[in-house]
């Protein structure tokens, strides 16, 4: 049966490698078992062949040794030397060794490349300016109880009556007024303006002719190398394999233990009882969603108003003036005085005209 989420054809494709691998593993296991059986039989055969040969050699050595001793007693010219043949059997035993297998794998290499991105001109540069932030820390303060409370009560302060203070002011007094006026500065027309114009300055550098040019030419450097030397290779060596040994394992066997009980006693068992569970009923609720919006912030900027010509502004300034008040003046008045004179007839007409 294919698992959920996979089609039958895809499942067969995944299982095909497993069907091939399982028979291969079984064949390897059978070959290893047969090799181990043949190796054990060969070892037993070698031991049985070496033991009789060693016994024969020992016996021969004993005979020749006795004769040699006998001949030694009568003379040195009867000595015999026999070469003993030894048979060595070399058998190769497979020893596991590490085989390095070259497995290709992908190596990611970082290649720097230019990334072009648009930078607005001019662009804003944010500069971090450190500033102090006042942080209020609350800490306990011991307040004695009861404590005194000072209350300010308004009260009247006796002050003398205001009196007149006479200040001498000269009449009339001078008022200084700053009147702007044009200051003429003599400027020659036309006048010279100095302007710096860059220009090329040629400098002659003395160069020897012909001059030497150093060129790097590659050439072969022969390094003397000694003859090939021997490299020691580690040979396989026998490794002791610890064989399993019998271990006594204590197995616990359950058995019934009879506990004497006087009388059967009642055991209270909790019975199920109905419990009211409040199931929340879904109801519509308000969800606040933050919607970004633009806030217009008034930014003060300079507004230039074109003015034709400077015009005079007249301002009314109050100037004190002297007011004449009428006052009495004694003027001398002529009072007529009567003088009695003798009257004559011939002067009567004259006097009459004078008084009129």
């Amino acid at each position: 049966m294919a698992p959920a989420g996979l089609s039958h054809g895809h499942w067969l494709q995944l299982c095909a490698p497993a069907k091939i691998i399982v028979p291969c593993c079984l064949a390897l296991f059978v070959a290893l078992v047969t090799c181990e059986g043949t190796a054990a039989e060969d070892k037993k055969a070698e031991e049985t062949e070496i033991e009789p040969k060693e016994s024969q050699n020992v016996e021969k050595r004993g005979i020749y040794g006795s004769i040699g001793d006998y001949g030694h007693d009568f003379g040195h010219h009867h000595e015999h030397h026999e070469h003993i043949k030894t048979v060595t059997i070399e058998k190769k035993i497979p020893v596991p060794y590490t085989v390095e297998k070259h497995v290709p794998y992908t190596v990611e290499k970082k290649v720097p490349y230019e990334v072009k991105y648009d930078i607005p001109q001019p662009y804003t540069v944010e500069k971090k300016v450190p500033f102090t932030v006042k942080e209020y820390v609350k800490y306990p303060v011991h307040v004695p109880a009861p404590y005194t409370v000072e209350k300010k009560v308004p009260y009247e302060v006796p002050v003398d009556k205001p009196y007149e203070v006479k200040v001498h002011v000269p009449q009339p007094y001078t008022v200084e007024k700053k009147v702007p006026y044009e200051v003429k500065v003599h400027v020659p027309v036309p006048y010279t303006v100095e302007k710096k114009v860059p220009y090329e300055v040629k400098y002659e550098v003395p160069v020897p002719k012909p001059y030497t040019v150093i060129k790097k030419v590659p050439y072969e450097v022969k390094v003397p190398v000694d003859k090939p030397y021997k490299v020691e290779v580690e040979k396989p060596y026998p490794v002791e394999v610890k064989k399993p040994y019998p271990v006594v394992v204590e197995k616990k066997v359950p058995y019934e233990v009879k506990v004497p009980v006087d009388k059967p006693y009642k055991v209270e068992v909790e019975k199920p009882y109905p419990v009211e569970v409040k199931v929340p009923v879904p109801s519509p609720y308000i969800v606040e969603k933050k919607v970004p919006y633009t806030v217009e912030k008034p930014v003060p900027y300079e507004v230039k108003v074109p003015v034709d010509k400077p015009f005079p502004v007249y301002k009314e300034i109050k100037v004190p003036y002297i007011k004449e008040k009428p006052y009495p003046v004694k003027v001398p008045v002529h009072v007529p005085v009567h003088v009695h004179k003798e009257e004559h007839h011939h002067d009567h007409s004259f006097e009459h005209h004078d008084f009129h």
Side-chain angles (χ1 to χ4, degrees), residues 179-201:
V179 179
Y181 61 94
E182 187 180 358
V183 179
K184 290 182 179 180
V185 181
H186 178 67
V187 179
V189 179
Y191 59 92
T192 58
V193 178
E194 294 182 356
K195 185 180 180 183
K196 290 180 181 181
V197 180
Y199 61 93
E200 187 180 359
V201 180

Side-chain angles (χ1 to χ4, degrees), residues 118-175:
D118 184 32
I119 301 173
Q121 296 290 342
Y123 60 92
T124 59
V125 178
E126 292 183 356
K127 185 180 177 183
K128 292 182 179 179
V129 180
F131 61 94
T132 56
V133 179
K134 287 184 179 180
E135 186 178 355
Y136 296 98
V137 180
K138 294 181 179 180
Y139 60 93
V141 179
H142 177 68
V143 179
Y147 58 92
T148 57
V149 179
E150 292 182 355
K151 187 178 179 182
K152 291 180 180 180
V153 180
Y155 60 94
E156 292 183 0
V157 179
V159 181
D160 296 336
K161 291 181 179 180
Y163 59 93
E164 188 180 357
V165 179
K166 291 181 180 180
V167 181
H168 177 69
V169 179
Q171 295 292 337
Y173 60 91
T174 59
V175 178

Side-chain angles (χ1 to χ4, degrees), residues 7 20 28 33 45 50 90 99 131 154 163 176 193 196 275:
S7 63
I20 296 165
L28 285 170
V33 170
I50 291 165
E90 291 182 357
V99 179
F131 61 94
Y163 59 93
E176 291 182 357
V193 178
K196 290 180 181 181
V275 180

Side-chain angles (χ1 to χ4, degrees), residues 6-310:
L6 289 174
S7 63
H8 186 67
H10 191 58
W11 174 247
L12 289 173
Q13 287 179 3
L14 292 173
C15 293
K19 290 179 180 178
I20 296 165
I21 292 165
V22 169
C24 294
C25 293
L26 288 171
L28 285 170
F29 180 74
V30 171
L32 289 171
V33 170
T34 53
C35 288
E36 287 178 0
T38 53
E41 289 174 4
D42 291 336
K43 281 184 181 180
K44 288 179 181 178
E46 286 174 7
E47 288 174 2
T48 53
E49 287 176 4
I50 291 165
E51 284 176 3
K53 286 181 180 180
E54 285 179 356
S55 63
Q56 290 175 6
N57 291 332
V58 169
E59 288 173 4
K60 287 180 182 179
R61 286 172 192 169
I63 293 165
Y64 290 120
S66 61
I67 294 166
D69 294 338
Y70 182 77
H72 181 72
D73 294 335
F74 292 97
H76 294 284
H77 58 276
H78 294 289
E79 291 180 359
H80 295 279
H81 297 284
E82 185 181 354
H83 180 68
I84 299 167
K85 293 181 180 179
T86 58
V87 179
T88 58
I89 296 168
E90 291 182 357
K91 190 169 184 181
K92 294 180 181 180
I93 300 168
V95 177
Y97 61 96
T98 58
V99 179
E100 291 182 355
K101 186 180 178 182
H102 179 70
V103 179
Y105 63 96
T106 58
V107 180
E108 291 183 356
K109 186 179 178 182
K110 292 182 179 179
V111 180
Y113 63 95
E114 188 180 0
V115 179
K116 292 181 180 180
Y117 53 93
D118 184 32
I119 301 173
Q121 296 290 342
Y123 60 92
T124 59
V125 178
E126 292 183 356
K127 185 180 177 183
K128 292 182 179 179
V129 180
F131 61 94
T132 56
V133 179
K134 287 184 179 180
E135 186 178 355
Y136 296 98
V137 180
K138 294 181 179 180
Y139 60 93
V141 179
H142 177 68
V143 179
Y147 58 92
T148 57
V149 179
E150 292 182 355
K151 187 178 179 182
K152 291 180 180 180
V153 180
Y155 60 94
E156 292 183 0
V157 179
V159 181
D160 296 336
K161 291 181 179 180
Y163 59 93
E164 188 180 357
V165 179
K166 291 181 180 180
V167 181
H168 177 69
V169 179
Q171 295 292 337
Y173 60 91
T174 59
V175 178
E176 291 182 357
K177 181 183 178 184
K178 289 181 181 181
V179 179
Y181 61 94
E182 187 180 358
V183 179
K184 290 182 179 180
V185 181
H186 178 67
V187 179
V189 179
Y191 59 92
T192 58
V193 178
E194 294 182 356
K195 185 180 180 183
K196 290 180 181 181
V197 180
Y199 61 93
E200 187 180 359
V201 180
K202 293 181 179 180
Y203 296 97
E204 291 185 359
V205 180
V207 180
K209 294 181 181 180
Y211 57 91
T212 57
V213 178
I214 297 168
K215 186 178 179 183
K216 291 180 181 180
V217 180
Y219 62 93
E220 187 180 0
V221 179
K222 290 183 179 181
V223 181
V225 182
D226 296 337
K227 292 179 180 181
Y229 53 91
K230 290 182 181 180
V231 180
E232 291 182 359
V233 180
E234 291 183 356
K235 292 180 179 180
Y237 55 91
V239 180
E240 290 183 1
V241 180
K242 292 181 180 180
K243 294 181 179 180
Y245 56 92
V247 180
V248 179
V249 180
E250 292 181 355
K251 189 177 180 181
K252 294 180 180 180
V253 179
Y255 62 95
E256 188 180 358
V257 179
K258 291 182 178 180
V259 181
V261 181
D262 295 341
K263 289 180 182 180
Y265 56 92
K266 290 182 180 180
V267 179
E268 292 181 357
V269 180
E270 292 182 356
K271 293 180 180 180
Y273 59 93
V275 180
E276 291 183 0
V277 179
K278 290 182 179 180
V279 180
V281 179
S283 58
Y285 57 94
I286 299 166
V287 179
E288 292 182 356
K289 185 180 178 183
K290 292 183 179 180
V291 180
Y293 61 94
T294 56
V295 179
E296 293 183 357
K297 187 179 178 182
V299 180
Y301 62 94
E302 188 179 359
V303 179
K304 290 182 180 180
V305 180
V307 180
D308 295 339
K309 287 181 181 180

